[in-house]
Amino acid sequence: DGGITQSPKYLFRKEGQNVTLSCEQNLNHDAMYWYRQDPGQGLRLIYYSQIVNDFQKGDIAEGYSVSREKKESFPLTVTSAQKNPTAFYLCASSISAVGNTIYFGEGSWLTVV
Amino acid sequence: GENVEQHPSTLSVQEGDSAVIKCTYSDSASNYFPWYKQELGKGPQLIIDIRSNVGEKKDQRIAVTLNKTAKHFSLHITETQPEDSAVYFCAATPQGNNRLAFGKGNQVVVIP
């Protein structure tokens, strides 16, 4: 099946630990994105990548890091510096970074205790 | 940056009636306006979108209208069905990038 795969679906971590969320797409899309969703809130952009080996900060990048070593993969690391990491994380992709439809994965729930 | 607001936050309709959700945006340079449907625990799914050179777009029971002068766009769902119950997000993006600015979402409940 073509699409965007996020893993794991549910993740629990202790405060102070770094955690990495996986995002893989087989749509041959150049651009990939990470959004954060809090209850009752809209989606906020964390990081985005327009092409392999390139990425830019979004609106709420503090406490997060990403890499884009392969076209199909865009992992997100939630570091211990992120003050309130418990949230629903959504990965997305589009054919290119300009003027194209953005498609979302099924999301990953991160709970930090 | 772009600021998108959605109204109302919650909407309940009887099955078979129509539902309308309105969004306003602040950046007159925005030219792409998608609508996403999100079911509980899932990722948002694009249901319809419109670009600024079009005033209205329709896809079966769903339509979107755009008023660039007033800077608002609306989602219209006709003949609502229980499976239309979900959270609907509107978004806007200026020309030249895909940095979508999302509204906070609208919970639509279709009462059988």
Side-chain angles (χ1 to χ4, degrees):
Chain A
D1 277 350
I4 302 168
T5 301
Q6 292 187 238
S7 62
K9 179 69 176 178
Y10 300 96
L11 188 59
F12 294 86
R13 278 294 181 268
K14 290 184 178 180
E15 194 171 331
Q17 291 181 332
N18 292 354
V19 59
T20 297
L21 306 179
S22 170
C23 178
E24 303 277 333
Q25 55 96 1
N26 61 4
L27 301 168
N28 200 33
H29 285 176
D30 280 329
M32 297 187 73
Y33 313 81
W34 275 105
Y35 286 87
R36 170 180 171 141
Q37 186 175 24
D38 294 286
Q41 300 295 315
L43 284 66
R44 293 182 290 168
L45 182 64
I46 305 172
Y47 268 98
Y48 65 103
S49 168
Q50 298 183 51
I51 201 165
V52 175
N53 293 322
D54 178 69
F55 50 83
Q56 286 85 40
K57 292 181 179 180
D59 300 316
I60 55 165
E62 185 176 352
Y64 300 97
S65 66
V66 294
S67 62
R68 186 84 188 279
E69 298 176 1
K70 298 187 294 183
K71 185 176 184 177
E72 59 270 23
S73 179
F74 191 40
L76 173 73
T77 297
V78 184
T79 74
S80 56
Q82 167 51 232
K83 297 189 187 309
N84 188 17
T86 295
F88 189 47
Y89 290 89
L90 288 156
C91 178
S93 71
S94 60
I95 294 174
S96 71
V98 178
N100 298 113
T101 302
I102 292 177
Y103 299 94
F104 285 87
E106 289 297 296
S108 292
W109 290 92
L110 172 63
T111 301
V112 176
V113 297
Chain B
E2 176 63 274
N3 182 42
V4 177
E5 295 188 358
Q6 276 183 253
H7 302 279
S9 60
T10 304
L11 178 64
S12 295
V13 296
Q14 290 289 334
E15 182 178 357
D17 287 351
S18 295
V20 181
I21 306 168
K22 180 179 175 179
C23 281
T24 60
Y25 62 98
S26 61
D27 190 344
S28 57
S30 288
N31 70 340
Y32 175 62
F33 308 92
W35 282 93
Y36 289 87
K37 175 184 180 182
Q38 187 178 30
E39 297 177 350
L40 191 62
K42 296 188 176 182
Q45 181 181 18
L46 179 75
I47 55 172
I48 196 167
D49 57 11
I50 193 168
R51 297 191 184 270
S52 59
N53 58 347
V54 176
E56 182 175 357
K57 184 176 178 181
K58 191 173 181 180
D59 183 3
Q60 298 182 348
R61 296 187 297 109
I62 294 173
V64 56
T65 57
L66 172 65
N67 184 326
K68 288 189 294 182
T69 302
K71 289 191 283 187
H72 67 72
F73 57 111
S74 299
L75 177 70
H76 305 254
I77 306 173
T78 59
E79 301 173 19
T80 53
Q81 301 168 4
E83 51 265 37
D84 294 329
S85 295
V87 177
Y88 291 82
F89 289 96
C90 62
T93 184
Q95 186 175 15
N97 69 74
N98 271 4
R99 293 188 61 160
L100 290 172
F102 283 86
K104 292 189 176 182
N106 180 293
Q107 177 74 58
V108 173
V109 178
V110 179
I111 303 167

